Amino acid sequence: MLIFTIIYFLIALLIYCYVIYPIFINDLNKQHIPGPYIYKFSKFFIYNKMRKEQGMLHVHNLHLKYGPIVQLSPNELSITDLPVVRKIYLNDNYPKEFSHLTSNSKKIVKIEKGFYSQFGNFCNRNLFSTGDTREHINKKKPLQKIYSKTFVLQHSKFLTEKINNLVDNLVSSKNQNVDVYSLFGALAMDVVTGFEFGFNNSSNFLNELDFQNPNLTYKNDVFESFRDSSSLWFWVCMTPQLYSFVSKWSGKDKSMEIGRKWIWGKIMQVVTNYTAEDLKKQDCTISVLYDRYDRDLAKIGSELADHTLAGADTTQTTLTYLMWQLARPANKEWKQKLFDEVQSVFAIDPIDNHVIIDDYNKLDLQMPIMNAIIKENFRLHAAIPGSERRFVPNGEGLKVGGYKIKPGIVVSTQPYSLHRQNVFGDDLDEFKPERWLPFAKETVTDYQNRIKEFERHMMTFGQGNRMCLGMHLAVTEIKACVASVFGNKQLKNYEICKEWCNQIDAESKTTKMGYGNKLIDKFKDRQNYLALSDTEKMRMADSYTIRPLFDECWMTI
């Protein structure tokens, strides 16, 4: 009898949760907000798309079908309406966690954690995963100096040294095949670790590793560890209760341990080589946090690991896609224009042919071609294009499109969709830097207004108080690297490696998201993999952060 009672109870519970509540009680559903009807009953459907790494493109297509407001689950909306987007991220700075209050709104009963809550390292959360807005602001303040543009430019000599290491690596590989995805990863790591651990303690991957391989395969244990960590984003963010099982089942737990040990080794190197007083004098993240976090190395390590991985991964991806775009036959005019512009703005060292960036401000003020190329690359290949989830805070709620959204509902925008709004013109999936330059007969005022509207829709680094802390470092590094590589006459004629890519799309400027109909195993199905076109090989992985789908990009220098 007891068994039947339990069965009846479970059936009743399921009917309530998946029939009665969604149809008759759920406030979002009663308002008939646009979206697939079945999604209103459970978050399973959108989660399953995300699990299969089809979520971003799927959400984008839902917006194309239903409009700027789409219901993704019983308690989540995706929004591309710009005024609402700016309210969520810029004006009102909606929180990453939600505090459930008592009826008199004076006491917190429960804190509902969100998408970001599980981001952490060494058993500690960090700035990125801090849910409370006020706590986030207090944590961020002392770090802002390290990542300010003024501070970055003060250390331009360090940047130049690392970038010249990359240029020398490319020049020494003349007529050879190089995996530029790993190469740019090494540069990004060598730069960001200087700002994290001290400029004398940065990594030296560019000088230690060889990025060539006649078999067109490249592997480094540290890089692989960080990639494996990123690949589990769905289990970390959406189903953290399964993360431990999945990481062990996939075998990636052992790989990720290599990266954790590498980060911890860098921390121990610093604290061992410096006294506490000497460490305070260093201009880097670890020196800022050392006393502020009561010398708790696990807490400090969580912050350092997050900055290092995020800073390296995003810059690596951005530079890789830019180099691929300018190697495409359809974009060769832009490669030539960029070369000519760099040569006209900067002097060239007669001995080693390095571009002499004597004034980093010129990168912003005197290079419209380069900046148009970089901005178009940011638009098409935003390193973090996935949904940025926030909670509607306690208070009056959110009014959008005639709907009233109650506190506690998750609202999000994905930069991938925001960057493909009609404001940017035609051919939204094509690489067209000209959209960022003045049109023929366009007045200065009209051009400035058009670009201003472009910038309002750009979310490459987020918006508002939560926008990327390392934005100034990333942009400055990317601009200096682009000028140094594409202005060097010895690197002018690089091209997509024909041994790696048998079919190069001669006329295409199109970019693609996700793995399409089927994901090919590049090792087990080598022949079919090599036969893919460059457009197919350089598909963007449909995850929270993008990367080349096959984690490589081979160029013949």
Side-chain angles (χ1 to χ4, degrees):
M1 197 69 178
L2 178 60
I3 293 176
F4 287 111
T5 302
I6 294 174
I7 292 174
Y8 291 148
F9 173 77
L10 291 176
I11 292 174
L13 183 63
L14 288 172
I15 292 174
Y16 174 80
C17 291
Y18 295 104
V19 179
I20 297 175
Y21 179 80
I23 295 177
F24 301 106
I25 301 176
N26 184 292
D27 185 67
L28 287 184
N29 293 351
K30 289 193 292 184
Q31 297 185 69
H32 304 291
I33 296 172
Y37 186 69
I38 195 171
Y39 284 25
K40 300 174 186 294
F41 290 84
S42 172
K43 61 185 178 183
F44 167 81
F45 304 103
I46 189 63
Y47 273 31
N48 195 43
K49 288 288 186 181
M50 294 167 64
R51 179 189 64 82
K52 295 190 292 185
E53 298 207 335
Q54 299 172 341
M56 196 186 317
L57 188 59
H58 180 65
V59 170
H60 181 66
N61 289 332
L62 290 178
H63 277 294
L64 294 178
K65 180 178 180 179
Y66 292 103
I69 306 165
V70 177
Q71 185 173 350
L72 299 181
S73 77
N75 71 327
E76 181 176 353
L77 301 179
S78 179
I79 300 169
T80 57
D81 182 75
L82 187 62
V84 180
V85 171
R86 292 176 70 82
K87 176 179 176 63
I88 293 170
Y89 299 97
L90 187 63
N91 300 330
D92 291 0
N93 194 18
Y94 279 18
K96 290 183 175 181
E97 295 179 349
F98 181 71
S99 299
H100 292 268
L101 305 177
T102 55
S103 57
N104 59 8
S105 301
K106 291 184 179 182
K107 185 178 179 181
I108 296 176
V109 177
K110 173 188 174 184
I111 294 178
E112 184 176 346
K113 295 182 179 180
F115 178 85
Y116 308 90
S117 300
Q118 306 304 319
F119 279 94
N121 306 280
F122 308 116
C123 302
N124 281 273
R125 294 172 70 181
N126 46 52
L127 179 67
F128 184 71
S129 57
T130 298
D132 180 74
T133 299
R134 186 172 298 176
E135 182 184 354
H136 175 268
I137 292 173
N138 290 335
K139 281 186 176 181
K140 183 177 179 180
K141 277 182 180 179
L143 292 169
Q144 287 179 306
K145 174 197 168 185
I146 298 293
Y147 293 103
S148 69
K149 188 165 185 179
T150 299
F151 185 84
V152 172
L153 293 182
Q154 286 173 352
H155 296 277
S156 60
K157 184 178 178 181
F158 171 79
L159 278 177
T160 298
E161 176 190 339
K162 296 299 183 182
I163 291 169
N164 284 343
N165 286 343
L166 177 134
V167 171
D168 291 342
N169 199 303
L170 287 170
V171 170
S172 66
S173 302
K174 192 69 175 173
N175 299 320
Q176 301 296 315
N177 299 323
V178 174
D179 178 17
V180 296
Y181 181 55
S182 295
L183 182 69
F184 285 130
L187 169 69
M189 192 68 74
D190 287 357
V191 169
V192 73
T193 49
F195 283 80
E196 298 305 309
F197 300 99
F199 298 102
N200 294 325
N201 302 303
S202 66
S203 61
N204 194 29
F205 286 122
L206 283 168
N207 290 327
E208 293 173 353
L209 303 180
D210 182 1
F211 302 92
Q212 302 175 26
N213 190 319
N215 296 322
L216 299 180
T217 58
Y218 183 84
K219 183 175 181 179
N220 174 272
D221 288 343
V222 174
F223 293 178
E224 288 293 320
S225 173
F226 295 150
R227 290 173 189 172
D228 284 344
S229 179
S230 296
S231 73
L232 295 178
W233 69 275
F234 173 79
W235 307 101
V236 172
C237 303
M238 311 311 294
T239 55
Q241 61 272 24
L242 296 177
Y243 169 73
S244 180
F245 168 76
V246 172
S247 64
K248 291 179 180 178
W249 174 77
S250 64
K252 293 182 178 181
D253 58 328
K254 295 178 181 178
S255 168
M256 292 187 294
E257 186 62 24
I258 294 173
R260 283 191 286 267
K261 286 182 177 179
W262 186 83
I263 292 286
W264 192 257
K266 295 294 292 183
I267 296 171
M268 296 309 298
Q269 174 189 341
V270 174
V271 299
T272 301
N273 292 343
Y274 293 89
T275 65
E277 291 303 314
D278 287 339
L279 183 57
K280 292 178 187 177
K281 299 174 184 177
Q282 301 297 310
D283 279 335
C284 59
T285 302
I286 191 171
S287 65
V288 171
L289 298 179
Y290 194 59
D291 279 344
R292 185 169 293 274
Y293 282 14
D294 298 321
R295 306 186 183 185
D296 186 327
L297 296 186
K299 286 184 179 179
I300 296 169
S302 180
E303 208 70 67
L304 293 172
D306 181 66
H307 294 198
T308 300
L309 270 64
D313 184 49
T314 52
T315 300
Q316 169 188 24
T317 297
T318 299
L319 287 169
T320 299
Y321 273 106
L322 194 148
M323 194 160 193
W324 168 63
Q325 287 287 7
L326 293 185
R328 304 177 83 181
N331 295 326
K332 63 181 181 180
E333 65 171 309
W334 289 106
K335 184 163 70 167
Q336 181 62 49
K337 287 180 179 180
L338 177 55
F339 174 80
D340 293 341
E341 183 176 72
V342 175
Q343 292 274 318
S344 68
V345 173
F346 296 110
I348 306 300
D349 191 309
I351 299 175
D352 55 21
N353 288 302
H354 285 165
V355 175
I356 302 174
I357 305 180
D358 57 324
D359 182 356
Y360 268 60
N361 289 309
K362 292 180 181 179
L363 297 168
D364 297 328
L365 304 175
Q366 298 183 29
M367 306 194 71
I369 298 294
M370 184 187 77
N371 282 291
I373 289 171
I374 291 175
K375 287 179 180 179
E376 180 67 351
N377 195 61
F378 281 157
R379 185 189 71 82
L380 269 182
H381 303 291
I384 305 180
S387 295
E388 300 286 357
R389 290 169 171 80
R390 301 290 189 270
F391 286 94
V392 177
N394 287 295
E396 297 181 356
L398 172 66
K399 293 182 179 180
V400 49
Y403 308 107
K404 186 172 182 180
I405 314 305
K406 291 184 176 181
I409 296 298
V410 177
V411 289
S412 65
T413 295
Q414 57 178 30
Y416 180 84
S417 294
L418 204 61
H419 292 180
R420 284 160 176 78
Q421 298 295 295
N422 290 333
V423 66
F424 290 104
D426 300 326
D427 305 318
L428 295 170
D429 284 315
E430 293 190 6
F431 181 77
K432 288 191 170 182
E434 60 265 32
R435 71 178 90 237
W436 293 91
L437 296 169
F439 296 148
K441 298 182 180 180
E442 185 177 33
T443 67
V444 173
T445 300
D446 287 344
Y447 168 66
Q448 290 175 340
N449 289 337
R450 181 167 61 84
I451 296 302
K452 184 178 180 180
E453 194 63 21
F454 280 14
E455 298 288 1
R456 282 163 54 84
H457 282 79
M458 289 293 285
M459 206 170 166
T460 305
F461 296 97
Q463 290 185 1
N465 188 262
R466 293 273 189 174
M467 72 187 302
C468 175
L469 182 65
M471 179 185 70
H472 294 302
L473 173 58
V475 172
T476 303
E477 179 184 353
I478 288 167
K479 288 184 177 183
C481 183
V482 169
S484 298
V485 171
F486 292 94
N488 190 302
K489 65 180 182 180
Q490 294 177 285
L491 303 176
K492 182 181 176 184
N493 296 319
Y494 83 92
E495 59 185 15
I496 299 169
C497 173
K498 292 183 175 62
E499 290 85 358
W500 174 63
C501 190
N502 299 333
Q503 179 186 342
I504 297 173
D505 291 333
E507 303 299 326
S508 177
K509 294 186 176 184
T510 300
T511 58
K512 295 185 177 182
M513 169 62 72
Y515 54 77
N517 296 325
K518 181 182 179 181
L519 180 61
I520 292 176
D521 188 312
K522 68 178 181 181
F523 297 113
K524 295 180 180 179
D525 197 0
R526 192 67 176 170
Q527 186 174 355
N528 285 332
Y529 171 66
L530 294 176
L532 291 176
S533 70
D534 63 302
T535 306
E536 294 296 321
K537 279 192 172 72
M538 292 302 291
R539 280 177 172 269
M540 296 175 281
D542 188 335
S543 55
Y544 177 59
T545 59
I546 67 162
R547 67 184 195 284
L549 188 61
F550 298 99
D551 292 315
E552 61 184 6
C553 180
W554 290 87
M555 296 287 164
T556 302
I557 307 303

